[in-house]
Amino acid sequence: MEQVPVMISTKDLAYLTDIFSWNYNASKVAHNYFSITNNQELKDVFHDVFSIHKEICEDVLDILE
């Protein structure tokens, strides 16, 4: 679907909520590991993972907006 419908069904909202929760939790875990590691290569990977999941959360919020 290229355009978000004007009305989102309850089932769609539940699915979007799940997507947001999964990605929010993954971003928190990646951020936590980023902050506790000293290895720069791992820091780069965790930063990338954090960024990907954060972007998905922002996309979900944009849909709901």
Side-chain angles (χ1 to χ4, degrees):
M1 184 177 292
E2 291 184 26
Q3 186 175 3
V4 179
V6 176
M7 187 177 98
I8 298 176
S9 71
T10 304
K11 187 174 182 178
D12 291 338
L13 182 59
Y15 186 63
L16 288 169
T17 301
D18 288 344
I19 292 171
F20 183 86
S21 294
W22 300 326
N23 284 283
Y24 181 71
N25 288 333
S27 70
K28 284 177 36 178
V29 169
H31 185 268
N32 182 51
Y33 284 131
F34 173 86
S35 66
I36 63 173
T37 189
N38 293 324
N39 182 318
Q40 188 58 46
E41 287 181 51
L42 287 176
K43 279 189 171 286
D44 293 343
V45 169
F46 291 132
H47 181 268
D48 291 345
V49 170
F50 169 78
S51 296
I52 290 167
H53 290 291
K54 181 179 178 255
E55 185 176 319
I56 294 170
C57 287
E58 290 170 352
D59 290 344
V60 170
L61 292 175
D62 286 343
I63 290 170
L64 294 174
E65 194 176 273

